[in-house]
Amino acid sequence: TAPEALPPLTVATLARFLKNPVKEFFRQRLDVVLREEDSADDDDEVLSLAGLPQYQLLSGALAAVLASTPAGASSAQDLPGQLAAQVAAQTTHTRRSGLLPMAELGRRAEAALAQTLQPMLTCWAELQALYPTPLPKEPLRLALAGVTVDDWLSGVQATGAQRVMLDMQPSKLTSGTRAPSVVVDKLVTAWVRMLVTSACGLPVVGVVVGRDARVTMQPLPKAEAETQLATLLQTWTQGMTEPLPLPCKTGLAWVAGASDVQTVYEGSPQRSGEVQDACLARQYPDF
């Protein structure tokens, strides 16, 4: 199948490609999804929380608390107490579900989960109050560089003429302590969405709430967004013809002039590398 015969692109598909072009080539062109490492058995005792398990646990807790939050903004006086009660209920449920370590380690993990959830949800609720008006969804459709993008812009909220798209991620958005910098690969989906909406003439401000920071992304002028999006779509077309050696984190380290680009891809005893992804390991086993 030629790339042009594939279904129209969505924001999510384009973002997946930008995060891992090789994996998306396998998925779209070959209909192949390589298995990752087997997860722990359901009967295994949880001893610690780190990495992916911690991300998944926080993601589930956030979703549960947000789903239990009644529609409409609460008053500033009521908000802290309501959120504290919801966080306490969810962390207790998580512990009783056996998703936390046993005994003292579990109590510490529960407390850490609550300490992470509370400020994120407080920030989220404050943003909801600042932009209280939900807007109807709008089509995101354009043809550029021989590729058709067809999606919907939904979840936009407004106050007056200002339109924002709010997003919450259960991951850290910055690195470093003395001079924190944004971890760019965590914002790929938000950036692609901002790029597509700007190119379609529907600019929105993107606000991403993470575990440690809130990042605001301003829309681009339409002409500039079209130019950048055309380059990305041309790369997508090429990436649907052959698997491109453009792993996201390694590529970002390269353009940033990092000294440890090879380690970002191959890993080290202290850190995992992008090559741990099954598709990248099969196609490009080393830097």
Side-chain angles (χ1 to χ4, degrees), residues 121-187:
L121 292 166
T122 300
C123 180
W124 181 263
E126 289 172 349
L127 287 168
Q128 294 280 338
L130 281 175
Y131 305 99
T133 306
L135 299 181
K137 67 179 184 179
E138 300 178 81
L140 292 174
R141 298 191 182 103
L142 79 162
L144 201 62
V147 179
T148 299
V149 177
D150 191 352
D151 207 338
W152 290 92
L153 175 61
S154 60
V156 177
Q157 296 181 218
T159 179
Q162 189 168 13
R163 298 149 43 96
V164 301
M165 164 117 10
L166 303 179
D167 186 21
M168 185 156 4
Q169 292 190 17
S171 55
K172 291 185 176 181
L173 302 181
T174 65
S175 64
T177 52
R178 292 187 177 180
S181 59
V182 172
V183 181
V184 182
D185 63 273
K186 302 298 184 184
L187 301 172

Side-chain angles (χ1 to χ4, degrees), residues 246-258:
L246 295 174
C248 184
K249 294 179 183 179
T250 306
L252 289 169
W254 179 281
V255 299

Side-chain angles (χ1 to χ4, degrees), residues 41 85 99 120 126 128 144 150 166 210-211 216 222 263:
D41 188 89
L99 299 176
M120 292 181 69
E126 289 172 349
Q128 294 280 338
L144 201 62
D150 191 352
L166 303 179
R211 290 168 55 182
T216 301
K222 189 174 187 294
T263 303

Side-chain angles (χ1 to χ4, degrees), residues 12-284:
T13 302
L14 194 53
R16 282 202 312 265
F17 169 79
L18 198 55
K19 291 176 183 179
N20 192 332
V22 175
K23 189 172 186 176
E24 196 62 14
F25 173 84
F26 276 56
R27 181 199 304 265
Q28 295 285 348
R29 299 306 311 282
L30 306 181
D31 197 23
V32 170
V33 178
L34 297 182
R35 287 188 62 186
E36 304 294 338
E37 293 184 4
D38 291 337
S39 58
D41 188 89
D42 289 340
D43 293 331
D44 288 348
E45 180 182 343
V46 179
L47 297 178
S48 65
L49 290 174
L52 183 59
Q54 184 184 49
Y55 178 95
Q56 293 171 334
L57 183 62
L58 183 56
S59 179
L62 283 170
V65 174
L66 291 176
S68 66
T69 302
S74 302
S75 68
Q77 291 181 339
D78 294 340
L79 181 61
Q82 289 181 357
L83 288 178
Q86 290 167 342
V87 168
Q90 180 57 33
T91 54
T92 299
H93 173 76
T94 302
R95 171 171 48 82
R96 291 175 176 173
S97 299
L99 299 176
L100 297 178
M102 300 290 288
E104 180 61 25
L105 287 177
R107 287 188 286 273
R108 292 182 182 182
E110 183 180 353
L113 181 62
Q115 290 171 2
T116 302
L117 283 170
Q118 185 74 35
M120 292 181 69
L121 292 166
T122 300
C123 180
W124 181 263
E126 289 172 349
L127 287 168
Q128 294 280 338
L130 281 175
Y131 305 99
T133 306
L135 299 181
K137 67 179 184 179
E138 300 178 81
L140 292 174
R141 298 191 182 103
L142 79 162
L144 201 62
V147 179
T148 299
V149 177
D150 191 352
D151 207 338
W152 290 92
L153 175 61
S154 60
V156 177
Q157 296 181 218
T159 179
Q162 189 168 13
R163 298 149 43 96
V164 301
M165 164 117 10
L166 303 179
D167 186 21
M168 185 156 4
Q169 292 190 17
S171 55
K172 291 185 176 181
L173 302 181
T174 65
S175 64
T177 52
R178 292 187 177 180
S181 59
V182 172
V183 181
V184 182
D185 63 273
K186 302 298 184 184
L187 301 172
V188 168
T189 299
W191 179 78
V192 171
R193 185 188 301 116
M194 181 272 296
L195 193 61
V196 172
T197 56
S198 297
C200 288
L202 298 170
V204 294
V205 175
V207 180
V208 182
V209 178
R211 290 168 55 182
D212 59 339
R214 183 180 75 191
V215 177
T216 301
M217 307 178 71
Q218 297 295 336
L220 292 173
K222 189 174 187 294
E224 183 179 347
E226 287 179 341
T227 300
Q228 292 193 26
L229 183 58
T231 300
L232 180 55
L233 294 176
Q234 289 167 358
T235 308
W236 176 85
T237 300
Q238 184 181 356
M240 292 299 102
T241 303
E242 59 180 338
L244 298 181
L246 295 174
C248 184
K249 294 179 183 179
T250 306
L252 289 169
W254 179 281
V255 299
S259 59
D260 60 344
V261 180
Q262 183 170 350
T263 303
V264 174
Y265 189 71
E266 294 183 351
S268 69
Q270 292 75 34
R271 62 188 290 187
S272 60
E274 280 195 287
V275 75
Q276 287 189 332
D277 174 85
C279 295
L280 287 171
R282 181 182 181 89
Q283 198 69 29
Y284 298 106

